[in-house]
Each structure stands twice: as structure tokens, then as C-alpha cells.
Amino acid sequence: MRRVPARRPTIKDIAKEAGVSESAVSFALNGRPGVSEATRARVRRVADRLGWRPSAAARALSGEGPATVGLVLARPASTLGVESFFLQLVSGIQEVLSLRRFGLLFQVVENLDAECDAYRRWWAEHRVDGVLVVDPRADDPRPPLLDELGLPAVVIGSLPPGDDGTGHPGIANLWADDARAMAGIVDHLDALGHRRIAHVAGLPELAHTRRRIASLRAEAERRGIEAHSHTTDYSDTEGARTTRRVLDSASPPTAIVYDNDVLAVAGLGVAAERGIPVPAALSIVAWDDSVLCRSTHPALTALVRDTTAFGRRAAEELFALLDGGPARRVEDALPHLLERGSTASAP
């Protein structure tokens, strides 16, 4: 059963707690003359203890909602500038927001605690009508928090194994099947005769990383293939470092699967630096296609999906919630593998 949303503290609550009039609270909180410094300090202490925040200016002036959707990314900022996935996702989201004349409040933070703090602040300040949540995690604190606040949300991406979304009936979910997509990659490499596969994965705490690792392990065991996953922070630096490490192993892989385009291009660079011909001696697959994958030599075999359309659908699901519809769990189209010049028969 969904929890009753918490109530935002008001100026009336502060006045009652501090034992002063509402006008005195307004004077104190807005820095206006008319109250003593002792009263001003007492009012501010009470406001802080109750968790009061001022409403957004537009809402205060018009009495209407903020017409804004929030998106927080708890990712290393250094990895976002070159990773095309989020740029395409935000582009699709923005298309739908523009049609509804909504704005996007976007923030990059260091970790999940900071992300949760942003949601509490936005809720308290009436800054957003709803939020889009990315990168689901195991034991994710965000859905329970958003349920408690009563803040409409769409979680974008696969939920952790064992979580069907029913625990948070007020939160919608849009996802693609990472496990089946990984199985398709293994199918392709198995058909080419590869028996040793490395997987240079993303952040280990993300639900989709865990699903991909589990799927690779299951498919490899079923086919008698040797396969190992290595987690990274999605950066080119980590991609290159991890590629060097797996190529230096006692039994180096004949194929490497990378969890994004940046990692894959970094891996291709390591192969070139070592004089390892791709695909004659090493096959490379990128998870998300992009202009990077199409611009290398050889061009990279990659999983292809319409990420802009994925963003549009996520925004549409959020507006369906805001319009009073039920929270749905929607499976998006399965990405398909596009063969290019970076994969060939195993040496």
C-alpha cells in the first residue's frame, strides 16, 4: 500500500511552533524589518527544524504549478560529456517537454545521497511536478523516498532482479531487456567461434550492469564458453586500463564486449597501440551505438536502439502519471545488434 505523502511545512506551522504571528514569520524569513533579531533567529531555527523551504518564485506569484520536470544524474561528471546515451535521452525527453511547455531542471551530483537530497529540496520548494529517475540500483533508496514524498516519477531502466515494480505503485517504469540483449551478443560471438569472451562493464552497483553480467555468465556456461566481466566507471581511462589488463591475462580473450561506446573506442585504441589487428585477432562489440562507433576504423559492431525515442517514451509515461493515469511498467523495444567491421571469426 502506498504511503501517505508527507506534508510540506507552511508559514502557519512555523508561526504556531515559534509562538509568533504569520506576518512576523514572513518578515523574519524574508529579511524584512519589523521583528527583533531574537525573533528572527527563533523563527529561522524553527523553520530549519521543520524542513521548511520557500516555494519557487513562479509558483508563489502565480499560484500555479512549476511546470517543470526534474532529472538528477549521480554519475562522474567527467564521463557525461563524451557519452552519447544521456545526450540522446535528454534530447527525447526535451521534445515532449517542449510540446507540453514544461521545463527541465537538470542536476549532476556525486552520489545517491546527494540525489535524494535534491529530491527532498525540490519537493519542499515546490520546484518540480515530477521526476525522471535513471540508473536503477539494488536496494535503491529513491523509489521509497519518492513514494513517501508523493512525487510522481518514472524509473528509466531495468529494475534489479526480483523487483517487479509492484512495491512502488505510484512509480512507473520504462525498461529494455538487458539480459536478452546480452544473450544476442553471445549468440553472435558464439556463431563466430569465440570461446573466450571478456566483458568490460559499467558501474557495479547499477541494476543493468548486474543483469548483463548475470546474462553473460549464464549464456557462457550453457555454451561452454569462458567469459569474465570487469566493472569500470564508464570512462575511456578505465576502459583502456581494463582492456590492457584482460589482454595481459594468461588466457586473453578473442572477443571483448564493452558496456558503452566510450569504453569500446578506448579498447580499440589499446588494440592498435599493441599491434593487435581488429577483427582478425580480436573482435570488439559496443553496447550502445553512436557516431563514435561509426567513425572508427574498423567501424564497431554495436547494439542499436533509438535512444531519443526512449527518452520521449519516458517523458510521455511521466505525463500520463501527471494527468492522473496509473503507474505502468512498460518494456521498450529490444536493441538489435548491427554487425560492422569489428567482429569476425575467432582466430
Side-chain angles (χ1 to χ4, degrees), residues 42-234:
R42 183 167 77 254
V43 167
R44 286 177 175 169
R45 283 197 302 272
V46 170
D48 288 342
R49 187 170 72 250
L50 295 179
W52 179 85
R53 296 290 185 277
S55 300
R59 187 181 185 98
L61 290 172
S62 68
E64 299 177 352
T68 303
V69 166
L71 173 63
V72 184
L73 294 184
R75 283 281 191 98
S78 60
T79 68
L80 296 175
V82 292
E83 189 175 357
S84 64
F85 174 83
F86 282 114
L87 297 177
Q88 295 176 51
L89 184 75
V90 170
S91 176
I93 291 169
Q94 190 59 53
E95 283 185 29
V96 176
L97 298 187
S98 295
L99 290 175
R100 295 286 293 257
R101 297 186 178 180
F102 268 61
L104 179 65
L105 183 54
F106 178 70
Q107 188 170 347
V108 178
V109 296
E110 294 180 356
N111 51 44
L112 273 191
D113 288 341
E115 182 174 343
C116 289
D117 286 344
Y119 295 143
R120 293 187 186 96
R121 186 173 64 256
W122 289 351
W123 170 83
E125 296 174 358
H126 306 256
R127 288 200 174 273
V128 296
D129 290 285
V131 295
L132 296 161
V133 179
V134 298
D135 292 339
R137 292 158 164 82
D139 301 319
D140 200 322
R142 296 170 297 175
L145 171 63
L146 294 169
D147 258 343
E148 180 182 345
L149 297 176
L151 197 56
V154 174
V155 174
I156 303 172
S158 300
L159 295 174
D163 187 349
D164 62 1
T166 57
H168 306 289
I171 298 176
N173 179 219
L174 177 68
W175 62 289
D177 195 333
D178 291 283
R180 283 176 59 204
M182 178 61 85
I185 293 174
V186 178
D187 272 340
H188 173 63
L189 296 175
D190 184 24
L192 293 173
H194 292 277
R195 315 311 296 165
R196 297 191 306 278
I197 301 173
H199 171 210
V200 179
L203 295 166
E205 65 269 23
L206 301 186
H208 68 252
T209 301
R210 297 187 178 195
R211 285 187 182 277
R212 295 174 192 182
I213 290 173
S215 178
L216 173 63
R217 184 183 302 119
E219 292 296 323
E221 288 178 357
R222 185 167 66 84
R223 302 161 188 269
I225 294 173
E226 180 184 342
H228 302 282
S229 296
H230 309 267
T231 57
T232 71
D233 64 0
Y234 287 110

Side-chain angles (χ1 to χ4, degrees), residues 286-343:
W287 193 272
D288 282 312
D289 189 32
S290 73
V291 66
L292 288 178
C293 297
R294 298 188 293 272
S295 302
T296 58
H297 181 74
L300 297 177
T301 294
L303 274 181
V304 177
R305 64 176 163 190
D306 190 340
T307 305
T308 302
F310 193 51
R312 286 197 297 268
R313 282 187 282 274
E316 288 164 357
E317 285 301 316
L318 182 57
F319 279 119
L321 278 179
L322 296 177
D323 291 339
R328 305 193 306 160
R329 188 155 188 257
V330 180
E331 182 177 359
D332 200 54
L334 186 71
H336 68 276
L337 192 67
L338 179 60
E339 289 186 56
R340 296 196 181 103
S342 68
T343 52

Side-chain angles (χ1 to χ4, degrees), residues 256-273:
I256 305 179
V257 181
Y258 292 89
D259 261 8
N260 72 2
D261 51 345
V262 175
L263 293 171
V265 171
L268 181 64
V270 170
E273 137 195 322

